[in-house]
Amino acid sequence: MARGPFSDGLLAPLDAARSAALRRAGPWLGPFFADRDRRVLWLGLSSVAVAFVATGAAPLWLLLLGPLLLGVPHLLSDVRYLVVRPGLHRDGWLMVGLGAPLLAVTLGANPAVGVLAAVPAVLSAPRSRRRAPALAVAGALAVAAWANADGFQLIFVHAHNLVALALWFFLRSRPASHAWVPLAALAGSGLALAGALDPLVTRFGGWSAPATGLDFGELVVSHADGLEPTLAARAVLSFCFLQSVHYAVWLRLIPEDARPRRAPRPFAASWRALVHDFGAPALAAVAALAVGLAAWGLLAPGPARDGYLRLATFHGYLELAVAARWLSQGRLA
Amino acid sequence: MRRLLLFTLVSGTALADVPPDNAAQCQGAKSGAACTTDDGRPGTCVTQRVGRLDYSEGVPPKAIEVDMLLCVATAPARVTTRSPVLAAGLGLALVAALAGLSVVARGRRPRPVS
């Protein structure tokens, strides 16, 4: 990929600054970051820790700013590593089979339609003895979604954050120590549900943040309807925490693991790889979308967040479809 | 109504602003304005006291009451019916279409993730 004014003009100085910082911090950080396996482990654990503390300190701000600032980039990463890098986009029929239900569910179709995106994802993979079980799982989920759309969506909105962790974990063969990352995420979710974050949220006044336009009472109805009120608030905290981990997975862990180069990659090289994957026009459109969403968020945070969430509906079902495909290929084992 | 609210949550609509039944129609309206209730009846926006949970001071939440404009029916409901056969038929047709498309695409093996 050719160099350009963006990579040479803006990113080259950033790379120089990062190199200088790494040289200075080398004696301390080197052992943790020089090796990819170790780097990914520490990035994962520190992401989980930061997400946990941030959830305790300012959950409503995290629920607002996470989608507005990281939402679009994480969708781009989602499509990049689930569709573009594996080359699924080269299969036109598969794109139609995947895209139609994903578009339909984004436009408001029953969630069962979104789940059915798993069918073409599985059937287009090389035939294997795991195909039938993968289709059976997808079918069972579709039936469950059709029978009880509300309940399914309520569970799915929480569970899809964990699907991303599973996709990351099974992206490649990795040391057993990496299992600490999903275990830490599960532990953090469990602690939030058990009330461990309550004192922290109270200490930082996080139960209320009028400037965000978000309200815990309303979030409880939308994210944890039917639960006992205190447990429901903790479920919202758990969602907030896992959503932050979800963003970290797509924006840090998966890109680290998916690139051929094991050493940290310069920003300029990462940019050129991104341009190679999507092309400049598509990236310009995504950048405009991200900037537009952030600007909208400055003017009307609540509606902007709603708008993003409406747009992002497809990605949870895309993750589910690819997870089913990997299940059929024996990668989730 | 709750079904609609939950659906709009996950599809991204009104996530941060989930009103009680018959409230959405009167959002931004004035008392006395004409509206249509959740079940399709014509109505009028009327200020009423509604209960809600206030989490602003932490858990457990406090039960409070707030004034809110709700759509109150002024005429009997219209009866609407759904066809489960039609819905099931559409679902099966979609599954068949997707399966057919995918079988056609089956032979093309994608490049694995790097």
Side-chain angles (χ1 to χ4, degrees):
Chain A
M1 175 57 57
R3 294 175 183 279
F6 184 69
S7 60
D8 289 340
L10 180 64
L11 297 180
L14 287 177
D15 276 326
R18 186 172 77 161
S19 296
L22 286 176
R23 271 196 301 275
R24 283 194 164 198
W28 302 283
L29 291 181
F32 296 108
F33 282 84
D35 174 70
R36 171 156 59 184
D37 283 342
R38 222 174 284 172
R39 184 168 69 249
V40 166
L41 175 61
W42 286 109
L43 278 173
L45 290 176
S46 58
S47 297
V48 170
V50 168
F52 192 76
V53 173
T55 298
L60 293 174
W61 281 106
L62 207 56
L63 285 167
L64 174 72
L65 295 180
L68 290 185
L69 299 180
L70 303 178
V72 172
H74 117 278
L75 293 180
L76 184 71
S77 183
D78 204 283
V79 172
R80 184 185 195 189
Y81 293 108
L82 295 183
V83 177
V84 176
R85 284 293 181 88
L88 302 187
H89 63 296
R90 296 194 190 94
D91 188 331
W93 285 112
L94 174 58
M95 286 298 92
V96 172
L98 260 180
L102 295 182
L103 179 63
V105 79
T106 301
L107 294 176
N110 187 289
V113 177
V115 175
L116 288 177
V119 173
V122 170
L123 291 179
S124 65
R127 183 182 291 275
S128 79
R129 61 187 172 83
R130 296 183 183 86
R131 174 181 282 184
L135 287 174
V137 170
L141 287 175
V143 169
W146 187 268
N148 186 350
D150 301 344
F152 177 84
Q153 286 178 311
L154 203 52
I155 293 170
F156 188 59
V157 79
H158 290 266
H160 107 275
N161 290 326
L162 295 173
V163 171
L165 264 173
L167 288 171
W168 163 73
F169 191 76
F170 292 102
L171 183 70
R172 67 174 175 90
S173 60
R174 59 178 72 250
S177 61
H178 283 193
W180 284 111
V181 176
L183 288 175
L186 288 173
S189 174
L191 285 170
L193 289 170
L197 283 172
D198 296 356
L200 198 59
V201 180
T202 301
R203 169 73 179 79
F204 285 97
W207 296 108
S208 175
T212 63
L214 301 181
D215 177 87
F216 248 96
E218 292 159 353
L219 289 167
V220 159
V221 173
S222 57
H223 287 75
D225 193 38
L227 294 182
E228 181 273 328
T230 295
L231 180 60
R234 292 169 180 169
V236 172
L237 292 176
S238 168
F239 171 81
C240 178
F241 163 69
L242 288 177
Q243 177 182 262
S244 302
V245 172
H246 178 85
Y247 288 147
V249 165
W250 283 113
L251 296 174
R252 291 301 301 139
L253 300 189
I254 287 179
E256 282 286 348
D257 270 329
R259 68 179 59 127
R261 173 188 171 127
R262 293 180 65 84
R265 188 166 62 181
F267 295 128
S270 292
W271 170 252
R272 287 193 292 274
L274 193 60
V275 173
H276 176 264
D277 284 345
F278 286 100
L283 281 184
V286 172
L289 179 64
V291 172
L293 182 68
W296 188 14
L298 285 175
L299 298 172
R305 181 174 183 269
D306 294 345
Y308 163 75
L309 292 172
R310 187 180 301 117
L311 168 74
T313 304
F314 77 92
H315 89 287
Y317 297 96
L318 173 62
E319 292 172 10
L320 195 63
V322 173
R325 181 183 176 90
W326 287 11
L327 180 65
S328 76
Q329 293 174 308
R331 290 181 68 173
L332 299 186
Chain B
M1 184 62 186
R2 176 171 290 181
R3 181 185 179 89
L4 171 65
L5 292 176
L6 280 170
F7 182 75
T8 53
L9 148 72
V10 184
S11 64
T13 307
L15 183 63
D17 189 18
V18 182
D21 291 354
N22 293 310
Q25 305 90 324
C26 294
Q27 200 169 24
K30 290 183 178 176
S31 182
C35 58
T36 304
T37 63
D38 291 344
D39 57 2
R41 287 180 287 172
T44 304
C45 292
V46 177
T47 302
Q48 299 206 329
R49 299 285 287 176
V50 297
R52 56 173 295 181
L53 293 175
D54 177 18
Y55 285 85
S56 61
E57 294 178 16
V59 289
K62 294 175 181 171
I64 61 171
E65 284 194 337
V66 295
D67 285 335
M68 186 172 282
L69 278 177
L70 299 181
C71 188
V72 176
T74 55
R78 288 177 296 182
V79 177
T80 57
T81 57
R82 280 180 169 179
S83 167
V85 176
L86 176 63
L90 287 173
L92 288 173
L94 180 63
V95 173
L98 291 175
L101 288 174
S102 303
V103 167
V104 172
R106 192 179 52 193
R108 304 173 67 178
R109 180 173 185 151
R111 179 165 58 91
V113 176
S114 58

